[in-house]
Amino acid sequence: MQTVLTSNVNEAAEFIRRGGVVAFPTETVYGLGANVFDEAAVAKIFDAKKRPADNPLIAHVASVDQIAELAKSISPNAHLFINAFFPGPLTVVLPRSERVPLIATAGLDTIGVRMPRYLLANEFLSACGVPVVAPSANLSGRPSPTTWQAVLEDLDRRIDCILQGDPTEIGLESTVVDCTGDVPVLLRQGAVSLAELQSVVPETIEYKQVRYDSPRSPGLKHRHYSPAATVVITDPKFEISDGRSSAFIGIGKAEYPFEFARECASVGEYAHSVFEFFRECDRMGIRTIYCESVPETGIGAALMDRLRRAAEG
Ligand code: TXA
Ligand code: MG
């Protein structure tokens, strides 16, 4: 199939209405969307990405009212998070409405819901007229795409359309918080920090503090965010013997003659740039990427989470 490139939200939304799959920008990363109520369309997302069928999708809404189409109920804690952080880089996990096909949630009786704040995303979702399920628009296992060109690199001729927007503002995927139990549980770190969640619901805990019978966020067990190169997390004053075939990204100065280096002015800029940096390293055939560690506060916690996953991959 040919992949249509457009910056026109109505042209992109038309593909969704006809049962197609469309990549679109948000403030976190680019997503690959389909009509949540169209099982055949949702199946195309898993095919295009080569995504394991046991990894559930996040449903994206244009307005808070649309959540009622997806969730059986919204707990008081979920309401508090929605009021505080929607629209924005937060996904709340709620009990799934029976209208939502099981393929969208990988068989779970819960569903993740998010309302992006990036204007073009909101205009696109409004034009679609239905909630849109969307994982990140990369081939499974690769770094999430933060530009439309990165989507094209992974998914050209595998999807119907790419809605072309700006490079994404944040650069890391949304925070995911499970609101289906007595206390909210942070399942994935993102731009909304644990401290910010706790400022709204003080009881909120981290996933590692809970013992579940089965993994609550199945996606967390899959290989993630990995460039082909080996990722090494270093402290600011590390030493290497040879900069050849190596790259560096961090806040500090790159002390060695790396083949490729990115010195960021802030942790926010580092988070914003890291996935595209990984992709650029792969295009250059870099073998080792040294990533400077950062303090785990604010977006730094999400950044360190992604770096660790990349280093495992
Ligand atoms: O920022 C984002 O969240 C981006 C943009 C496109 O919105 N989307 C994204 O989707 O990162 P994806 O599929 O790459 O990651 C979704 C994560 C996975 O770790 C998945 O397991 C978890 O959210 N998730 C989705 N639905 C869930 C549910 N019902 N219960 C627990 N975890 C869920
Ligand atoms: Mg993903």
Side-chain angles (χ1 to χ4, degrees):
M1 88 177 63
Q2 194 211 337
T3 300
V4 173
L5 304 180
T6 181
S7 50
N8 181 318
V9 289
N10 292 312
E11 188 182 356
E14 188 58 29
F15 284 103
I16 296 285
R17 287 195 290 268
R18 295 206 193 126
V21 288
V22 175
F24 64 99
T26 78
E27 69 276 21
T28 57
V29 299
Y30 274 70
L32 180 62
N35 174 356
V36 64
F37 301 119
D38 183 337
E39 282 188 52
V42 177
K44 289 181 195 168
I45 293 179
F46 286 89
D47 278 355
K49 275 188 61 107
K50 303 184 182 163
R51 182 177 177 100
D54 65 351
N55 197 354
L57 306 179
I58 293 170
H60 297 68
V61 295
S63 68
V64 169
D65 294 345
Q66 262 184 334
I67 301 172
E69 298 177 38
L70 299 163
K72 207 178 262 174
S73 59
I74 305 177
S75 66
N77 284 338
H79 267 296
L80 291 171
F81 288 137
I82 289 166
N83 287 338
F85 300 111
F86 278 29
L90 179 72
T91 297
V92 293
V93 175
L94 303 170
R96 176 181 59 86
S97 154
E98 262 126 51
R99 290 188 58 201
V100 174
L102 280 168
I103 184 176
T105 64
L108 297 178
D109 54 10
T110 60
I111 181 156
V113 179
R114 154 164 144 72
M115 180 177 169
R117 72 170 177 228
Y118 181 59
L119 185 63
L120 198 66
N122 188 267
E123 289 173 352
F124 167 68
L125 293 167
S126 298
C128 290
V130 286
V132 169
V133 273
S136 49
N138 50 285
L139 281 173
S140 208
R142 296 212 72 207
S144 294
T146 57
T147 65
W148 66 260
Q149 290 91 340
V151 178
L152 192 67
E153 181 176 65
D154 277 15
L155 299 176
D156 190 19
R157 298 182 181 274
R158 302 182 65 82
I159 62 177
D160 295 292
C161 176
I162 299 175
L163 177 61
Q164 298 166 291
D166 301 307
T168 61
E169 175 201 334
I170 295 167
L172 303 179
E173 307 83 352
S174 63
T175 304
V176 179
V177 63
D178 181 357
C179 298
T180 60
D182 292 339
V183 296
V185 181
L186 174 63
L187 297 179
R188 180 174 72 181
Q189 307 261 12
V192 176
S193 67
L194 178 63
E196 284 175 288
L197 293 174
Q198 287 171 336
S199 74
V200 176
V201 181
E203 300 78 39
T204 306
I205 54 172
E206 275 189 275
Y207 179 67
K208 56 188 175 212
Q209 294 175 254
V210 210
R211 279 195 170 276
Y212 287 121
D213 299 339
S214 56
R216 242 335 149 77
S217 198
L220 296 179
K221 72 180 186 326
H222 293 291
R223 188 171 167 270
H224 257 93
Y225 320 113
S226 306
T230 302
V231 171
V232 178
I233 302 172
T234 67
D235 65 64
K237 290 201 185 63
F238 70 101
E239 285 184 23
I240 61 164
S241 51
D242 186 354
R244 271 175 303 172
S245 280
S246 310
F248 168 84
I249 184 167
I251 308 286
K253 247 190 107 33
E255 302 283 349
Y256 297 89
F258 290 102
E259 221 173 291
F260 185 40
R262 176 80 197 251
E263 296 163 2
C264 305
S266 64
V267 177
E269 188 188 315
Y270 189 171
H272 168 85
S273 320
V274 69
F275 285 152
E276 186 53 30
F277 185 83
F278 284 174
R279 283 176 178 269
E280 190 57 33
C281 288
D282 280 353
R283 289 177 204 124
M284 294 173 70
I286 295 284
R287 276 198 290 238
T288 310
I289 306 174
Y290 292 92
C291 301
E292 185 183 332
S293 61
V294 297
E296 298 200 36
T297 53
I299 191 78
L303 176 58
M304 286 304 294
D305 169 72
R306 302 311 189 271
L307 294 180
R308 284 193 195 103
R309 288 170 197 282
E312 278 166 17

